[in-house]
Amino acid sequence: QLLSSISSQPDNVQKNLDEQLYKLVGEFHNKGLQAERFDRVTDHAKQVAIVPCSAETKEGIPELLMVLIGLAQRYLESGLEYDISGTAKATILEVKEEKGLGTILDVVLYDGVLKVNDQIVLGTLGEPITTKVKALFEPLPLSEMRDKKGKFKSVKEVSAAAGVRVSAVGVEDAVAGMPLIGSKNLIEAKKTVKADVEEALIETEQEGIIVKADTLGSVEAVVTLLREKEVPIRKATVGKISKKDIAEAESNYEKNKSLGVVAGFNVDLDDEARIYIKDSNAKVIIHDVVYKLINDLEEWYEEVKKQEESE
């Protein structure tokens, strides 16, 4: 699909695409890496495959998945093995309200087996939740799990690897991106979950900006990019921007204006924060495109710097 789309473009467009591509190949070369467009790669063990993609038209996404799956099957086979006799290990994709079921979790089960009445431990921003599986639902063939109109069937157990909807009591504080594991040893399971969560959430006493994102994976991505830009981070967590986040940013502002920022990726302010921000010196920057968020942050730094020079 992608290659036929490229070949159907006018000559000048194809030439421009090739120029941009080989500019990128040159940048890889400067880092000591060989690279080539995915369909021209002769040796995947030596060359980085470049897959042109469009976020707007979604072109290139099937080819990107094809390359990733192919590489995983060829070079990461042992990492794709799983144990269907072991305890369940999963990642929470989404937490939502379902009529008649209450709060339910859409999860990806990547190891082990999960059964109705199994004891599970799942991560939150506080202490891990311990509960029991009340019901399990699998998407019907050709149904997408996250599609609101998707159809499900009730099942007694699910083996990895699979997407599954979990109904359980007391999971209101669960957060997308958090781990979920089946457990016979509660103490060990809680330790494992806490360690996984602490690895991704950052909280220090040092000065720095406040970072909020919608999932653990997003937190890690934003933090990585900010560190590349040498932006100090005081706290990075999951969830909506709260009054406390703004208050912390305000205390930064008094010491260092440029650090009086809450950077939010794919999140919004909660009701209390919306009122509090009106009389606050803290700056809130929110975006659902991570690079735009970084750019807006850099523009803010420039603005503060000019202000200080002017003063």
Side-chain angles (χ1 to χ4, degrees), residues 94-98 101-106 137 165-168 171:
E94 207 172 344
V95 182
K96 52 192 175 188
E97 289 293 317
E98 186 80 10
L101 290 172
T103 305
I104 51 105
L105 313 171
D106 281 349
F137 303 92
R165 182 162 286 180
V166 180
S167 171
V171 295

Side-chain angles (χ1 to χ4, degrees), residues 22-91:
Y22 284 108
K23 185 179 170 189
L24 187 60
V25 168
E27 288 177 22
F28 273 103
H29 181 75
N30 292 337
K31 302 275 186 187
L33 296 165
Q34 293 180 45
E36 186 53 276
R37 199 172 82 183
F38 74 101
D39 56 306
R40 299 170 184 161
V41 171
T42 54
D43 186 349
H44 279 284
K46 294 178 181 174
Q47 293 169 293
V48 176
I50 299 171
V51 185
C53 296
S54 167
E56 192 168 331
T57 67
K58 309 294 184 285
E59 285 173 292
I61 302 299
E63 287 78 5
L64 178 61
L65 288 170
M66 177 191 75
V67 171
L68 286 171
I69 292 164
L71 288 171
Q73 287 177 333
R74 175 71 182 81
Y75 298 105
L76 304 172
E77 196 174 344
S78 63
L80 296 174
E81 291 173 358
Y82 56 90
D83 178 10
I84 60 166
S85 63
T87 52
K89 290 178 186 172
T91 299

Side-chain angles (χ1 to χ4, degrees), residues 2 15 57 88 163 177-178 180 207 220 241 253 288 302 310:
L2 175 64
K15 187 184 172 191
T57 67
M178 292 285 185
L180 177 154
E207 289 185 356
E220 288 180 291
I241 295 168
Y253 181 90
D288 57 2
E302 282 302 310
S310 171

Side-chain angles (χ1 to χ4, degrees), residues 5-214:
S5 177
I6 291 171
S7 62
S8 70
Q9 303 298 319
D11 289 346
N12 66 315
V13 174
Q14 290 188 53
K15 187 184 172 191
N16 186 20
L17 180 62
D18 267 342
E19 283 171 1
Q20 297 296 331
L21 189 81
Y22 284 108
K23 185 179 170 189
L24 187 60
V25 168
E27 288 177 22
F28 273 103
H29 181 75
N30 292 337
K31 302 275 186 187
L33 296 165
Q34 293 180 45
E36 186 53 276
R37 199 172 82 183
F38 74 101
D39 56 306
R40 299 170 184 161
V41 171
T42 54
D43 186 349
H44 279 284
K46 294 178 181 174
Q47 293 169 293
V48 176
I50 299 171
V51 185
C53 296
S54 167
E56 192 168 331
T57 67
K58 309 294 184 285
E59 285 173 292
I61 302 299
E63 287 78 5
L64 178 61
L65 288 170
M66 177 191 75
V67 171
L68 286 171
I69 292 164
L71 288 171
Q73 287 177 333
R74 175 71 182 81
Y75 298 105
L76 304 172
E77 196 174 344
S78 63
L80 296 174
E81 291 173 358
Y82 56 90
D83 178 10
I84 60 166
S85 63
T87 52
K89 290 178 186 172
T91 299
I92 300 168
L93 281 184
E94 207 172 344
V95 182
K96 52 192 175 188
E97 289 293 317
E98 186 80 10
K99 200 173 179 182
L101 290 172
T103 305
I104 51 105
L105 313 171
D106 281 349
V107 311
V108 171
L109 179 69
Y110 60 84
D111 205 0
V113 61
L114 188 63
K115 300 176 183 175
V116 172
N117 291 323
D118 272 2
Q119 191 163 248
I120 54 173
V121 177
L122 50 141
T124 71
L125 294 174
E127 284 297 305
I129 293 169
T130 304
T131 183
K132 275 190 175 182
V133 176
K134 195 165 71 174
L136 293 170
F137 303 92
E138 259 188 341
L140 289 172
L142 303 178
S143 261
E144 160 59 44
M145 187 164 70
R146 288 184 287 179
D147 185 352
K148 287 179 182 175
K149 294 178 183 175
K151 294 179 180 176
F152 292 78
K153 62 175 179 180
S154 177
V155 291
K156 292 294 179 189
E157 67 176 69
V158 180
S159 298
V164 61
R165 182 162 286 180
V166 180
S167 171
V169 177
V171 295
E172 291 77 16
D173 291 333
V175 177
M178 292 285 185
L180 177 154
I181 62 174
S183 165
K184 287 173 185 169
N185 184 332
L186 269 183
I187 296 169
E188 280 306 309
K190 282 186 174 181
K191 273 185 191 172
T192 304
V193 167
K194 278 186 95 167
D196 285 351
V197 173
E198 281 165 10
E199 213 171 271
L201 300 184
I202 297 163
E203 190 149 5
T204 68
E205 295 303 316
Q206 299 163 359
E207 289 185 356
I209 70 166
I210 311 298
V211 176
K212 297 298 288 274
D214 58 341

